[in-house]
């Protein structure tokens, strides 16, 4: 954990860590942090969005109704959890520091093959994301723009035992522990490494943006994940992307 406010390049490197972590205040200077403050989002409050209700059923509501949940003393359980940034406002992605956007090597793929892995999340106190492992064996970062979140992580060994991770993904030297609990405050970035199962709960109403990535730090894990699940097409894509970046000297793709 760090209490400093690192520059974007330093932050990007820390986001590739192999253990869950919270980078205190590391996102306070990001333009997207200011763009996703509640007052700015209120400018769009009449637009329709598809949220989850308290039973996790999809429901179409106004953005303003979800934002009301952030401050509600008795929220009804609405959670905007699967809102892709590209569909909400593509310009928001450009407000993430370039060094962080470049973490995802898969953005080098043609548009029709490129995964759309950035989401906006808004919900009231008590809403949550159930325990899961991220898609395609990817890692992720999460920037909290308002409120407080509580994170509970379980190591890949536990994820495998619970059937959330296929056998054969973990490296032999992988940490065999453990549970990690973190609390996230506004401006904090949370790091979710590949293979770590995690549950996230909004302690208060919360607004955040999150994105997944695969690069030099977790490419081998993602390839083992695809192989274990028999995802031959994904494995081939990951192998080709890795070979391309190896020829380029392991650099990042600028988008």
């Amino acid at each position: 954990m760090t209490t400093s406010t690192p520059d974007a390049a330093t932050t990007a490197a820390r986001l590739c860590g192999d253990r869950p972590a919270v980078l205190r205040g590391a996102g306070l200077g990001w333009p997207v942090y200011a763009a996703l403050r509640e007052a700015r989002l209120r400018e769009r409050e009449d637009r329709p969005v598809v949220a989850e209700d308290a039973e996790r059923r999809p429901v179409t509501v106004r953005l303003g109704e979800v934002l009301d949940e952030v401050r509600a003393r008795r929220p009804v359980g609405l959670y905007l959890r699967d809102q892709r940034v590209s569909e909400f406002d593509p310009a928001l992605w450009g407000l993430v520091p370039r060094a962080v956007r470049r973490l995802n090597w898969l953005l080098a793929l043609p548009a029709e093959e490129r995964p759309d892995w950035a989401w906006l999340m808004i919900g009231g106190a008590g809403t949550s994301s159930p325990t899961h492992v991220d898609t395609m064996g990817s890692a992720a970062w999460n920037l909290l723009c308002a409120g407080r979140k509580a994170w509970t992580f379980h190591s890949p060994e536990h994820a495998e035992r619970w059937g959330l991770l296929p056998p054969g993904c973990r490296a032999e030297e992988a940490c065999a522990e453990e549970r990690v609990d973190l609390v996230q405050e506004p401006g904090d970035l949370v790091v979710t490494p590949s293979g770590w199962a995690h549950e996230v709960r909004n302690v208060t109403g919360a607004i955040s943006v999150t994105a997944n990535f695969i690069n030099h730090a977790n490419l081998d894990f993602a390839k083992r994940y695809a192989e274990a699940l028999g995802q031959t097409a994904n494995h081939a894509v990951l192998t080709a992307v890795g070979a391309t970046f190896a020829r380029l000297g392991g650099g990042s793709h600028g988008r």
Side-chain angles (χ1 to χ4, degrees):
M1 186 189 309
T2 179
T3 55
S4 64
T5 305
D7 61 31
T10 301
T11 296
R14 290 176 176 170
L15 293 176
C16 296
D18 61 1
R19 288 180 54 79
V22 57
L23 308 183
R24 295 289 181 203
L28 286 171
W30 291 15
V32 72
Y33 176 80
L36 291 178
R37 302 294 284 172
E38 183 182 350
R40 296 281 294 275
L41 289 169
R42 286 283 179 188
E43 298 170 6
R44 316 168 189 241
E45 64 179 9
D46 289 328
R47 68 171 293 167
V49 294
V50 179
E52 293 180 348
D53 67 13
E55 304 298 323
R56 301 197 188 278
R57 297 172 300 200
V59 55
T60 300
V61 296
R62 293 170 45 253
L63 176 63
E65 293 177 71
V66 182
L67 291 170
D68 290 344
E69 290 281 279
V70 173
R71 294 184 177 273
R73 297 182 66 179
R74 295 181 178 178
V76 299
L78 289 176
Y79 195 11
L80 187 65
R81 190 162 70 93
D82 292 315
Q83 176 63 64
R84 295 186 187 277
V85 169
S86 63
E87 297 170 355
F88 184 81
D89 182 356
L92 288 173
W93 184 241
L95 301 180
V96 174
R98 186 168 182 261
V100 177
R101 299 198 311 269
R102 289 170 56 163
L103 286 176
N104 190 10
W105 284 5
L106 300 190
L107 293 182
L109 293 169
E112 64 274 13
E113 300 177 27
R114 193 181 307 150
D116 193 356
W117 280 353
W119 296 268
L120 171 64
M121 310 179 83
I122 306 172
T127 52
S128 65
S129 297
T131 305
H132 64 285
V133 170
D134 283 345
T135 182
M136 273 183 70
S138 59
W141 55 262
N142 182 293
L143 169 63
L144 187 60
C145 301
R148 180 181 298 149
K149 287 180 179 283
W151 296 70
T152 299
F153 291 91
H154 298 275
S155 59
E157 181 184 65
H158 290 166
E160 184 177 307
R161 188 186 322 137
W162 296 339
L164 297 173
L165 194 64
C169 292
R170 294 184 297 117
E172 289 300 321
E173 66 276 12
C175 180
E177 11 176 330
E178 118 190 70
R179 168 174 167 156
V180 177
D181 292 292
L182 301 173
V183 174
Q184 184 184 23
E185 305 281 354
D188 293 350
L189 283 159
V190 165
V191 179
T192 300
S194 288
W196 282 74
H198 51 288
E199 177 185 12
V200 191
R201 182 174 61 88
N202 291 326
V203 180
T204 68
I207 301 170
S208 66
V209 60
T210 185
N212 291 49
F213 60 90
I214 293 174
N215 61 20
H216 67 281
N218 60 349
L219 179 65
D220 288 342
F221 183 97
K223 288 168 65 177
R224 291 194 299 269
Y225 181 91
E227 185 174 18
L229 290 177
Q231 298 173 342
T232 55
N234 284 348
H235 190 276
V237 167
L238 293 169
T239 299
V241 169
T244 297
F245 279 94
R247 289 196 299 272
L248 294 174
S252 298
H253 190 268
R255 284 188 183 272

